[in-house]
Short mmCIF file of all heavy atoms in Angstrom, two decimals:
data_model
loop_
_atom_site.label_atom_id
_atom_site.label_comp_id
_atom_site.label_asym_id
_atom_site.label_seq_id
_atom_site.Cartn_x
_atom_site.Cartn_y
_atom_site.Cartn_z
N MET M 1 -7.13 -9.57 17.60
CA MET M 1 -6.46 -8.50 16.71
C MET M 1 -5.40 -7.83 17.69
O MET M 1 -5.72 -7.41 18.74
CB MET M 1 -7.31 -7.58 16.11
CG MET M 1 -8.34 -8.31 15.16
SD MET M 1 -7.42 -8.85 13.74
CE MET M 1 -7.12 -7.18 12.88
N GLU M 2 -4.19 -7.73 17.30
CA GLU M 2 -3.14 -7.05 18.01
C GLU M 2 -3.26 -5.57 17.66
O GLU M 2 -3.67 -5.14 16.59
CB GLU M 2 -1.82 -7.44 17.56
CG GLU M 2 -1.50 -8.94 17.89
CD GLU M 2 0.06 -9.20 17.49
OE1 GLU M 2 0.75 -8.30 17.00
OE2 GLU M 2 0.37 -10.45 17.57
N GLN M 3 -3.04 -4.71 18.74
CA GLN M 3 -3.03 -3.33 18.39
C GLN M 3 -1.76 -2.97 17.79
O GLN M 3 -0.48 -3.34 18.18
CB GLN M 3 -2.89 -2.54 19.82
CG GLN M 3 -4.41 -2.57 20.40
CD GLN M 3 -5.33 -1.46 19.64
OE1 GLN M 3 -4.86 -0.78 18.80
NE2 GLN M 3 -6.50 -1.54 20.11
N VAL M 4 -1.77 -2.35 16.58
CA VAL M 4 -0.70 -1.99 15.86
C VAL M 4 -0.62 -0.35 15.80
O VAL M 4 -1.65 0.25 15.56
CB VAL M 4 -0.66 -2.55 14.53
CG1 VAL M 4 0.43 -2.11 13.58
CG2 VAL M 4 -0.84 -4.09 14.53
N ASN M 5 0.58 0.04 15.98
CA ASN M 5 0.70 1.48 15.74
C ASN M 5 0.64 2.08 14.31
O ASN M 5 1.52 1.61 13.56
CB ASN M 5 2.07 1.99 16.42
CG ASN M 5 1.98 1.97 17.90
OD1 ASN M 5 0.99 2.16 18.58
ND2 ASN M 5 3.10 1.70 18.47
N ILE M 6 -0.39 2.53 13.97
CA ILE M 6 -0.64 2.90 12.56
C ILE M 6 -0.17 4.42 12.50
O ILE M 6 -0.60 5.33 13.08
CB ILE M 6 -2.06 2.84 12.25
CG1 ILE M 6 -2.57 1.41 12.23
CG2 ILE M 6 -2.27 3.32 10.66
CD1 ILE M 6 -1.80 0.37 11.37
N PRO M 7 0.74 4.77 11.51
CA PRO M 7 1.25 6.17 11.42
C PRO M 7 0.17 6.99 10.51
O PRO M 7 -0.66 6.45 9.79
CB PRO M 7 2.44 5.96 10.52
CG PRO M 7 2.27 4.72 9.79
CD PRO M 7 1.45 3.82 10.65
N LYS M 8 0.02 8.24 11.04
CA LYS M 8 -0.81 9.09 10.32
C LYS M 8 -0.28 9.37 8.81
O LYS M 8 0.97 9.36 8.65
CB LYS M 8 -0.98 10.35 11.01
CG LYS M 8 -1.95 10.33 12.27
CD LYS M 8 -3.36 10.28 11.73
CE LYS M 8 -4.32 10.33 12.96
NZ LYS M 8 -5.70 10.18 12.54
N CYS M 9 -1.32 9.63 7.98
CA CYS M 9 -0.90 10.04 6.71
C CYS M 9 -0.06 11.43 6.73
O CYS M 9 -0.50 12.38 7.34
CB CYS M 9 -1.96 10.10 5.83
SG CYS M 9 -1.62 10.74 4.05
N GLN M 10 1.10 11.30 6.12
CA GLN M 10 1.89 12.53 6.12
C GLN M 10 1.38 13.62 5.26
O GLN M 10 1.82 14.78 5.20
CB GLN M 10 3.41 12.22 5.91
CG GLN M 10 4.01 11.32 6.78
CD GLN M 10 3.97 11.97 8.23
OE1 GLN M 10 4.68 13.03 8.34
NE2 GLN M 10 3.42 11.25 9.25
N LYS M 11 0.49 13.28 4.32
CA LYS M 11 0.01 14.14 3.30
C LYS M 11 -1.27 15.03 3.79
O LYS M 11 -1.12 16.11 3.73
CB LYS M 11 -0.26 13.36 2.01
CG LYS M 11 -0.79 14.36 0.94
CD LYS M 11 -1.12 13.57 -0.40
CE LYS M 11 -1.59 14.42 -1.43
NZ LYS M 11 -2.03 13.73 -2.68
N CYS M 12 -2.16 14.27 4.29
CA CYS M 12 -3.47 14.99 4.70
C CYS M 12 -3.50 15.02 6.20
O CYS M 12 -4.42 15.86 6.53
CB CYS M 12 -4.69 14.24 4.05
SG CYS M 12 -4.94 12.53 4.67
N ASN M 13 -2.84 14.22 6.88
CA ASN M 13 -2.89 14.15 8.39
C ASN M 13 -4.33 13.91 8.90
O ASN M 13 -4.64 14.27 9.96
CB ASN M 13 -2.47 15.57 8.91
CG ASN M 13 -0.92 15.68 8.92
OD1 ASN M 13 -0.13 14.73 9.31
ND2 ASN M 13 -0.43 16.81 8.47
N VAL M 14 -5.19 13.37 8.09
CA VAL M 14 -6.44 12.94 8.41
C VAL M 14 -6.60 11.42 8.47
O VAL M 14 -7.02 10.78 9.47
CB VAL M 14 -7.53 13.55 7.55
CG1 VAL M 14 -8.94 13.05 7.93
CG2 VAL M 14 -7.47 15.11 7.63
N GLY M 15 -6.13 10.77 7.35
CA GLY M 15 -6.27 9.48 7.21
C GLY M 15 -5.10 8.74 7.91
O GLY M 15 -4.18 9.47 8.49
N ASP M 16 -5.14 7.42 8.03
CA ASP M 16 -4.12 6.55 8.53
C ASP M 16 -3.47 5.79 7.35
O ASP M 16 -4.10 5.56 6.48
CB ASP M 16 -4.64 5.57 9.60
CG ASP M 16 -5.30 6.23 10.75
OD1 ASP M 16 -4.71 7.20 11.20
OD2 ASP M 16 -6.37 5.81 11.24
N LEU M 17 -2.26 5.64 7.56
CA LEU M 17 -1.46 4.85 6.55
C LEU M 17 -1.58 3.32 7.06
O LEU M 17 -1.08 3.01 8.17
CB LEU M 17 -0.05 5.29 6.55
CG LEU M 17 0.19 6.52 5.61
CD1 LEU M 17 1.57 6.88 5.66
CD2 LEU M 17 -0.33 6.46 4.14
N VAL M 18 -2.17 2.44 6.29
CA VAL M 18 -2.34 1.11 6.59
C VAL M 18 -1.39 0.25 5.63
O VAL M 18 -1.37 0.47 4.50
CB VAL M 18 -3.77 0.61 6.41
CG1 VAL M 18 -4.62 1.31 7.45
CG2 VAL M 18 -4.31 0.90 5.17
N PRO M 19 -0.69 -0.63 6.26
CA PRO M 19 0.23 -1.45 5.42
C PRO M 19 -0.64 -2.56 4.74
O PRO M 19 -1.38 -3.25 5.33
CB PRO M 19 1.11 -2.02 6.53
CG PRO M 19 0.40 -2.21 7.72
CD PRO M 19 -0.61 -1.03 7.65
N LEU M 20 -0.05 -2.81 3.55
CA LEU M 20 -0.63 -3.99 2.72
C LEU M 20 0.55 -5.02 2.47
O LEU M 20 1.68 -4.53 2.25
CB LEU M 20 -1.35 -3.43 1.53
CG LEU M 20 -2.39 -2.48 1.60
CD1 LEU M 20 -2.81 -2.09 0.19
CD2 LEU M 20 -3.48 -2.97 2.36
N SER M 21 0.29 -6.16 2.58
CA SER M 21 1.34 -7.17 2.23
C SER M 21 0.82 -7.91 0.94
O SER M 21 -0.35 -8.12 0.80
CB SER M 21 1.56 -8.07 3.41
OG SER M 21 0.49 -8.69 3.85
N ASP M 22 1.79 -8.54 0.29
CA ASP M 22 1.50 -9.25 -0.94
C ASP M 22 2.36 -10.60 -0.85
O ASP M 22 3.22 -10.66 -0.29
CB ASP M 22 1.80 -8.34 -2.22
CG ASP M 22 1.11 -8.83 -3.42
OD1 ASP M 22 0.30 -9.85 -3.20
OD2 ASP M 22 1.35 -8.39 -4.44
N PHE M 23 1.67 -11.51 -1.63
CA PHE M 23 2.33 -12.77 -1.54
C PHE M 23 2.45 -13.37 -2.98
O PHE M 23 1.56 -13.08 -3.85
CB PHE M 23 1.44 -13.77 -0.76
CG PHE M 23 1.39 -13.41 0.66
CD1 PHE M 23 0.39 -12.60 1.12
CD2 PHE M 23 2.49 -13.83 1.46
CE1 PHE M 23 0.31 -12.19 2.40
CE2 PHE M 23 2.35 -13.45 2.92
CZ PHE M 23 1.30 -12.67 3.34
N GLY M 24 3.50 -14.06 -3.38
CA GLY M 24 3.67 -14.54 -4.56
C GLY M 24 2.70 -15.70 -4.99
O GLY M 24 1.97 -16.23 -4.02
N SER M 25 2.61 -16.12 -6.30
CA SER M 25 1.68 -17.12 -6.67
C SER M 25 2.07 -18.28 -6.01
O SER M 25 1.12 -19.27 -5.99
CB SER M 25 1.49 -17.14 -8.03
OG SER M 25 2.88 -17.27 -8.57
N GLN M 26 3.27 -18.62 -5.62
CA GLN M 26 3.58 -19.89 -5.11
C GLN M 26 3.48 -19.91 -3.51
O GLN M 26 3.96 -20.81 -2.83
CB GLN M 26 5.02 -20.25 -5.23
CG GLN M 26 5.12 -20.99 -6.85
CD GLN M 26 5.63 -19.94 -7.76
OE1 GLN M 26 6.38 -19.04 -7.47
NE2 GLN M 26 5.09 -20.06 -9.06
N GLY M 27 2.88 -18.82 -3.02
CA GLY M 27 2.55 -18.82 -1.63
C GLY M 27 3.67 -18.21 -0.73
O GLY M 27 3.56 -18.02 0.44
N SER M 28 4.78 -17.81 -1.38
CA SER M 28 5.77 -17.22 -0.66
C SER M 28 5.57 -15.66 -0.66
O SER M 28 5.30 -15.25 -1.56
CB SER M 28 7.26 -17.66 -1.26
OG SER M 28 7.21 -17.22 -2.57
N SER M 29 6.05 -15.18 0.52
CA SER M 29 5.94 -13.70 0.56
C SER M 29 6.99 -13.06 -0.33
O SER M 29 8.12 -13.55 -0.32
CB SER M 29 6.19 -13.20 2.03
OG SER M 29 7.34 -13.55 2.58
N ILE M 30 6.65 -12.09 -0.88
CA ILE M 30 7.48 -11.36 -1.80
C ILE M 30 7.92 -10.04 -1.16
O ILE M 30 7.14 -9.47 -0.39
CB ILE M 30 6.97 -11.19 -3.26
CG1 ILE M 30 5.67 -10.54 -3.33
CG2 ILE M 30 6.79 -12.59 -3.84
CD1 ILE M 30 5.19 -10.35 -4.58
N LEU M 31 9.03 -9.44 -1.63
CA LEU M 31 9.38 -8.15 -1.17
C LEU M 31 8.51 -6.95 -1.86
O LEU M 31 8.84 -6.29 -2.76
CB LEU M 31 10.86 -7.93 -1.55
CG LEU M 31 11.87 -8.76 -0.77
CD1 LEU M 31 13.19 -8.44 -1.22
CD2 LEU M 31 11.62 -8.59 0.66
N TYR M 32 7.53 -6.89 -1.26
CA TYR M 32 6.46 -5.88 -1.89
C TYR M 32 5.54 -5.37 -0.75
O TYR M 32 4.93 -6.24 -0.05
CB TYR M 32 5.61 -6.49 -2.90
CG TYR M 32 4.64 -5.62 -3.52
CD1 TYR M 32 4.91 -5.00 -4.80
CD2 TYR M 32 3.43 -5.15 -2.88
CE1 TYR M 32 4.03 -4.20 -5.36
CE2 TYR M 32 2.60 -4.35 -3.57
CZ TYR M 32 2.92 -3.73 -4.75
OH TYR M 32 1.99 -2.89 -5.37
N LYS M 33 5.77 -4.12 -0.37
CA LYS M 33 4.96 -3.50 0.65
C LYS M 33 4.30 -2.38 0.10
O LYS M 33 4.95 -1.60 -0.62
CB LYS M 33 5.78 -3.18 1.81
CG LYS M 33 6.26 -4.47 2.57
CD LYS M 33 7.12 -4.06 3.78
CE LYS M 33 7.74 -5.36 4.52
NZ LYS M 33 8.57 -4.94 5.74
N ALA M 34 3.16 -2.12 0.65
CA ALA M 34 2.51 -0.92 0.14
C ALA M 34 1.75 -0.21 1.47
O ALA M 34 1.32 -0.99 2.22
CB ALA M 34 1.40 -1.13 -0.87
N TRP M 35 1.72 1.10 1.45
CA TRP M 35 1.09 1.83 2.56
C TRP M 35 0.03 2.65 1.88
O TRP M 35 0.33 3.43 0.93
CB TRP M 35 2.03 2.70 3.32
CG TRP M 35 2.95 1.77 4.07
CD1 TRP M 35 4.09 1.16 3.64
CD2 TRP M 35 2.96 1.56 5.53
NE1 TRP M 35 4.68 0.51 4.58
CE2 TRP M 35 4.03 0.79 5.75
CE3 TRP M 35 2.08 1.91 6.54
CZ2 TRP M 35 4.26 0.25 7.08
CZ3 TRP M 35 2.30 1.47 7.88
CH2 TRP M 35 3.41 0.59 8.13
N VAL M 36 -1.09 2.60 2.28
CA VAL M 36 -2.27 3.40 1.58
C VAL M 36 -2.96 4.20 2.60
O VAL M 36 -3.25 3.79 3.78
CB VAL M 36 -3.18 2.45 0.89
CG1 VAL M 36 -4.43 3.20 0.21
CG2 VAL M 36 -2.48 1.51 -0.07
N CYS M 37 -3.29 5.43 2.30
CA CYS M 37 -4.00 6.18 3.22
C CYS M 37 -5.43 5.88 3.13
O CYS M 37 -6.09 5.62 2.10
CB CYS M 37 -3.96 7.77 2.69
SG CYS M 37 -4.80 9.03 3.69
N THR M 38 -6.14 5.92 4.36
CA THR M 38 -7.43 5.53 4.52
C THR M 38 -8.52 6.59 4.15
O THR M 38 -9.69 6.38 3.93
CB THR M 38 -7.85 4.95 5.85
OG1 THR M 38 -7.50 6.05 6.84
CG2 THR M 38 -7.01 3.82 6.31
N ASN M 39 -7.95 7.80 3.94
CA ASN M 39 -8.83 8.91 3.50
C ASN M 39 -9.10 8.90 2.03
O ASN M 39 -8.17 9.13 1.34
CB ASN M 39 -8.08 10.22 3.89
CG ASN M 39 -8.99 11.42 3.65
OD1 ASN M 39 -10.19 11.30 3.12
ND2 ASN M 39 -8.43 12.61 3.66
N PRO M 40 -10.21 8.68 1.55
CA PRO M 40 -10.51 8.47 0.07
C PRO M 40 -10.24 9.74 -0.62
O PRO M 40 -9.98 9.78 -1.82
CB PRO M 40 -11.97 8.00 0.03
CG PRO M 40 -12.71 8.41 1.33
CD PRO M 40 -11.53 8.38 2.45
N ASP M 41 -10.48 10.90 0.14
CA ASP M 41 -10.01 12.29 -0.50
C ASP M 41 -8.63 12.48 -0.78
O ASP M 41 -8.42 13.29 -1.43
CB ASP M 41 -10.85 13.39 0.35
CG ASP M 41 -12.31 13.20 0.27
OD1 ASP M 41 -12.87 12.68 -0.65
OD2 ASP M 41 -12.95 13.74 1.09
N CYS M 42 -7.84 11.72 -0.08
CA CYS M 42 -6.50 11.84 -0.19
C CYS M 42 -5.78 11.01 -1.23
O CYS M 42 -5.18 11.43 -2.19
CB CYS M 42 -5.82 11.58 1.15
SG CYS M 42 -4.04 11.76 1.10
N GLY M 43 -5.95 9.64 -1.00
CA GLY M 43 -5.52 8.65 -1.99
C GLY M 43 -3.99 8.54 -2.06
O GLY M 43 -3.49 7.91 -2.90
N TYR M 44 -3.17 9.00 -0.93
CA TYR M 44 -1.97 8.84 -0.84
C TYR M 44 -1.51 7.26 -0.76
O TYR M 44 -2.11 6.64 0.04
CB TYR M 44 -1.41 9.68 0.18
CG TYR M 44 0.15 9.61 0.36
CD1 TYR M 44 0.98 10.32 -0.32
CD2 TYR M 44 0.68 8.72 1.36
CE1 TYR M 44 2.34 10.32 -0.21
CE2 TYR M 44 2.04 8.60 1.50
CZ TYR M 44 2.96 9.43 0.72
OH TYR M 44 4.18 9.52 0.93
N ASN M 45 -0.60 6.97 -1.50
CA ASN M 45 -0.07 5.64 -1.37
C ASN M 45 1.35 5.46 -1.65
O ASN M 45 1.97 6.31 -2.35
CB ASN M 45 -0.93 4.50 -2.30
CG ASN M 45 -0.59 4.94 -3.75
OD1 ASN M 45 0.41 4.36 -4.33
ND2 ASN M 45 -1.43 5.75 -4.36
N LEU M 46 2.02 4.67 -1.08
CA LEU M 46 3.47 4.44 -1.12
C LEU M 46 3.79 2.91 -1.16
O LEU M 46 3.23 2.20 -0.44
CB LEU M 46 4.03 5.12 0.16
CG LEU M 46 5.74 5.05 0.23
CD1 LEU M 46 6.01 6.30 1.08
CD2 LEU M 46 6.07 3.85 0.82
N LYS M 47 4.60 2.67 -2.14
CA LYS M 47 4.91 1.25 -2.35
C LYS M 47 6.44 1.04 -2.19
O LYS M 47 7.12 1.94 -2.76
CB LYS M 47 4.47 0.67 -3.61
CG LYS M 47 2.83 0.80 -3.80
CD LYS M 47 2.51 0.49 -5.24
CE LYS M 47 0.99 0.85 -5.30
NZ LYS M 47 0.65 0.65 -6.85
N ILE M 48 6.82 -0.08 -1.68
CA ILE M 48 8.29 -0.35 -1.62
C ILE M 48 8.39 -1.78 -2.49
O ILE M 48 7.78 -2.73 -2.00
CB ILE M 48 8.72 -0.60 -0.23
CG1 ILE M 48 8.45 0.68 0.63
CG2 ILE M 48 10.28 -0.87 -0.16
CD1 ILE M 48 8.65 0.68 2.06
N ARG M 49 9.14 -1.73 -3.38
CA ARG M 49 9.22 -2.80 -4.28
C ARG M 49 10.70 -3.02 -4.73
O ARG M 49 11.17 -2.22 -5.43
CB ARG M 49 8.29 -2.64 -5.44
CG ARG M 49 8.17 -3.99 -6.36
CD ARG M 49 7.11 -3.91 -7.37
NE ARG M 49 7.11 -2.69 -8.03
CZ ARG M 49 5.94 -2.06 -8.48
NH1 ARG M 49 4.86 -2.40 -8.12
NH2 ARG M 49 6.11 -1.02 -9.28
N ASN M 50 11.34 -4.13 -4.24
CA ASN M 50 12.71 -4.40 -4.83
C ASN M 50 13.70 -3.18 -4.39
O ASN M 50 14.52 -2.90 -5.09
CB ASN M 50 12.66 -4.62 -6.33
CG ASN M 50 11.94 -5.90 -6.72
OD1 ASN M 50 11.86 -6.83 -5.95
ND2 ASN M 50 11.50 -5.89 -7.90
N GLY M 51 13.29 -2.67 -3.28
CA GLY M 51 14.28 -1.52 -2.70
C GLY M 51 13.95 -0.31 -3.39
O GLY M 51 14.48 0.74 -2.94
N ASP M 52 12.96 -0.20 -4.21
CA ASP M 52 12.63 1.10 -4.79
C ASP M 52 11.33 1.63 -4.13
O ASP M 52 10.49 0.83 -3.84
CB ASP M 52 12.53 0.97 -6.28
CG ASP M 52 13.80 0.67 -7.00
OD1 ASP M 52 14.78 1.22 -6.61
OD2 ASP M 52 13.72 0.09 -8.06
N ILE M 53 11.13 2.93 -4.12
CA ILE M 53 9.93 3.40 -3.54
C ILE M 53 9.25 4.08 -4.46
O ILE M 53 9.72 4.95 -5.27
CB ILE M 53 10.34 4.38 -2.37
CG1 ILE M 53 11.19 3.71 -1.22
CG2 ILE M 53 9.03 5.10 -1.76
CD1 ILE M 53 11.55 4.68 -0.14
N TYR M 54 7.84 3.73 -4.61
CA TYR M 54 6.90 4.37 -5.51
C TYR M 54 5.84 5.20 -4.79
O TYR M 54 5.21 4.59 -3.79
CB TYR M 54 6.31 3.21 -6.31
CG TYR M 54 7.25 2.58 -7.13
CD1 TYR M 54 7.99 1.35 -6.56
CD2 TYR M 54 7.45 2.76 -8.52
CE1 TYR M 54 8.82 0.55 -7.29
CE2 TYR M 54 8.42 1.94 -9.27
CZ TYR M 54 9.07 0.97 -8.63
OH TYR M 54 9.87 0.16 -9.42
N ILE M 55 5.77 6.40 -5.00
CA ILE M 55 4.82 7.23 -4.30
C ILE M 55 3.72 7.80 -5.20
O ILE M 55 4.08 8.11 -6.37
CB ILE M 55 5.59 8.49 -3.71
CG1 ILE M 55 6.55 8.01 -2.67
CG2 ILE M 55 4.56 9.40 -2.99
CD1 ILE M 55 7.36 9.06 -2.04
N ASN M 56 2.55 7.58 -4.74
CA ASN M 56 1.35 7.90 -5.49
C ASN M 56 1.17 7.38 -6.78
O ASN M 56 0.87 7.96 -7.84
CB ASN M 56 1.26 9.45 -5.50
CG ASN M 56 0.57 10.10 -4.42
OD1 ASN M 56 -0.09 9.37 -3.53
ND2 ASN M 56 0.78 11.32 -4.13
N GLU M 57 1.55 6.02 -7.06
CA GLU M 57 1.33 5.36 -8.25
C GLU M 57 -0.02 5.25 -8.32
O GLU M 57 -0.88 5.01 -7.41
CB GLU M 57 1.87 3.83 -8.13
CG GLU M 57 3.29 3.94 -8.69
CD GLU M 57 3.64 2.30 -9.01
OE1 GLU M 57 3.00 1.51 -8.34
OE2 GLU M 57 4.52 2.19 -9.78
N PRO M 58 -0.70 5.36 -9.52
CA PRO M 58 -2.12 5.08 -9.77
C PRO M 58 -2.51 3.70 -9.42
O PRO M 58 -1.87 2.73 -9.76
CB PRO M 58 -2.34 5.41 -11.30
CG PRO M 58 -0.95 5.40 -11.87
CD PRO M 58 -0.05 5.68 -10.75
N ILE M 59 -3.52 3.53 -8.55
CA ILE M 59 -3.91 2.23 -7.99
C ILE M 59 -4.81 1.54 -9.05
O ILE M 59 -4.80 0.34 -9.09
CB ILE M 59 -4.51 2.32 -6.58
CG1 ILE M 59 -3.77 3.36 -5.81
CG2 ILE M 59 -4.30 0.92 -5.93
CD1 ILE M 59 -4.46 3.54 -4.47
N MET M 60 -5.72 2.32 -9.53
CA MET M 60 -6.88 1.71 -10.25
C MET M 60 -6.47 1.22 -11.69
O MET M 60 -7.28 0.47 -12.15
CB MET M 60 -7.95 2.78 -10.42
CG MET M 60 -8.42 3.32 -9.07
SD MET M 60 -8.92 2.04 -7.88
CE MET M 60 -10.32 1.54 -8.72
N SER M 61 -5.33 1.55 -12.18
CA SER M 61 -5.11 1.27 -13.52
C SER M 61 -4.24 0.03 -13.82
O SER M 61 -3.47 -0.03 -14.71
CB SER M 61 -4.42 2.46 -14.30
OG SER M 61 -3.23 2.77 -13.49
N GLY M 62 -4.36 -0.86 -12.77
CA GLY M 62 -3.65 -2.14 -12.96
C GLY M 62 -2.10 -1.96 -12.88
O GLY M 62 -1.56 -1.09 -13.41
N VAL M 63 -1.35 -2.90 -12.23
CA VAL M 63 0.05 -2.90 -12.24
C VAL M 63 0.59 -4.08 -12.73
O VAL M 63 0.35 -5.12 -12.47
CB VAL M 63 0.45 -2.78 -10.71
CG1 VAL M 63 2.02 -2.81 -10.59
CG2 VAL M 63 -0.11 -1.54 -10.00
N ASN M 64 1.21 -3.93 -13.95
CA ASN M 64 1.98 -5.02 -14.51
C ASN M 64 1.01 -6.03 -14.97
O ASN M 64 1.34 -7.30 -14.94
CB ASN M 64 3.11 -5.53 -13.63
CG ASN M 64 4.22 -4.62 -13.46
OD1 ASN M 64 4.46 -3.78 -14.15
ND2 ASN M 64 4.86 -4.73 -12.31
N GLY M 65 -0.14 -5.78 -15.24
CA GLY M 65 -1.22 -6.82 -15.77
C GLY M 65 -1.61 -7.65 -14.63
O GLY M 65 -2.31 -8.75 -14.98
N ARG M 66 -1.39 -7.44 -13.40
CA ARG M 66 -1.81 -8.26 -12.29
C ARG M 66 -3.36 -7.97 -12.27
O ARG M 66 -3.82 -7.05 -12.32
CB ARG M 66 -1.20 -7.95 -10.93
CG ARG M 66 0.03 -8.37 -10.79
CD ARG M 66 0.68 -7.90 -9.53
NE ARG M 66 -0.10 -8.39 -8.50
CZ ARG M 66 0.39 -9.43 -7.68
NH1 ARG M 66 1.34 -10.02 -7.92
NH2 ARG M 66 -0.32 -9.91 -6.73
N SER M 67 -4.17 -9.18 -12.23
CA SER M 67 -5.49 -8.96 -12.01
C SER M 67 -5.86 -8.90 -10.58
O SER M 67 -5.21 -9.56 -9.77
CB SER M 67 -6.26 -10.36 -12.55
OG SER M 67 -5.77 -11.28 -11.76
N ARG M 68 -6.75 -7.94 -10.28
CA ARG M 68 -7.12 -7.74 -8.95
C ARG M 68 -8.53 -8.01 -8.79
O ARG M 68 -9.32 -7.63 -9.63
CB ARG M 68 -6.78 -6.29 -8.56
CG ARG M 68 -5.40 -5.95 -8.59
CD ARG M 68 -5.31 -4.40 -8.17
NE ARG M 68 -5.34 -4.34 -6.63
CZ ARG M 68 -4.27 -4.41 -5.77
NH1 ARG M 68 -3.06 -4.56 -6.38
NH2 ARG M 68 -4.41 -4.36 -4.59
N GLN M 69 -9.02 -8.56 -7.64
CA GLN M 69 -10.42 -8.79 -7.47
C GLN M 69 -11.07 -7.54 -6.98
O GLN M 69 -10.51 -6.91 -6.14
CB GLN M 69 -10.55 -9.92 -6.40
CG GLN M 69 -10.06 -11.26 -6.93
CD GLN M 69 -10.37 -12.38 -5.96
OE1 GLN M 69 -10.31 -12.00 -4.83
NE2 GLN M 69 -10.63 -13.46 -6.29
N SER M 70 -12.18 -7.17 -7.64
CA SER M 70 -12.79 -5.98 -7.14
C SER M 70 -13.66 -6.42 -5.85
O SER M 70 -14.10 -7.56 -5.65
CB SER M 70 -13.84 -5.56 -8.18
OG SER M 70 -14.75 -6.61 -8.51
N GLN M 71 -13.75 -5.36 -5.00
CA GLN M 71 -14.31 -5.76 -3.74
C GLN M 71 -15.94 -5.51 -3.76
O GLN M 71 -16.32 -4.52 -4.31
CB GLN M 71 -13.77 -4.79 -2.69
CG GLN M 71 -12.31 -5.29 -2.49
CD GLN M 71 -11.64 -4.48 -1.36
OE1 GLN M 71 -12.26 -3.51 -0.89
NE2 GLN M 71 -10.50 -4.91 -0.94
ZN1 ZN X 1 -3.79 10.97 3.39
#
């Protein structure tokens, strides 16, 4: 595993912001990036999608009908 500089969450300054990547159904990477705070009490998240930035979108209520696997 490479060491990656993870930025601190700017909201709570406790959790770290970890990057998430997403891939299209055909296996190609798509322009979708998300950063999520690791502090569950914070829940800060930031998404970059098609050049637009979405901050603190609800994560649990499904996005555009995409099915997510529960962990
Ligand atoms: Zn946070």
Side-chain angles (χ1 to χ4, degrees):
M1 294 293 287
E2 295 183 4
Q3 283 284 355
V4 179
N5 290 326
I6 301 293
K8 280 287 184 186
C9 174
Q10 298 297 304
K11 183 180 178 184
C12 65
N13 285 313
V14 174
D16 298 319
L17 286 179
V18 293
L20 304 176
S21 55
D22 200 1
F23 298 91
S25 55
Q26 278 98 37
S28 59
S29 62
I30 58 178
L31 293 178
Y32 183 102
K33 293 182 180 177
W35 294 77
V36 180
C37 179
T38 56
N39 178 10
D41 292 333
C42 174
Y44 180 81
N45 66 90
L46 183 152
K47 297 172 192 170
I48 304 167
R49 184 167 57 216
N50 295 330
D52 294 323
I53 300 179
Y54 299 81
I55 296 177
N56 274 345
E57 263 193 344
I59 323 176
M60 304 305 292
S61 57
V63 177
N64 295 334
R66 285 176 63 97
S67 59
R68 298 183 77 93
Q69 290 180 335
S70 58
Q71 295 181 350

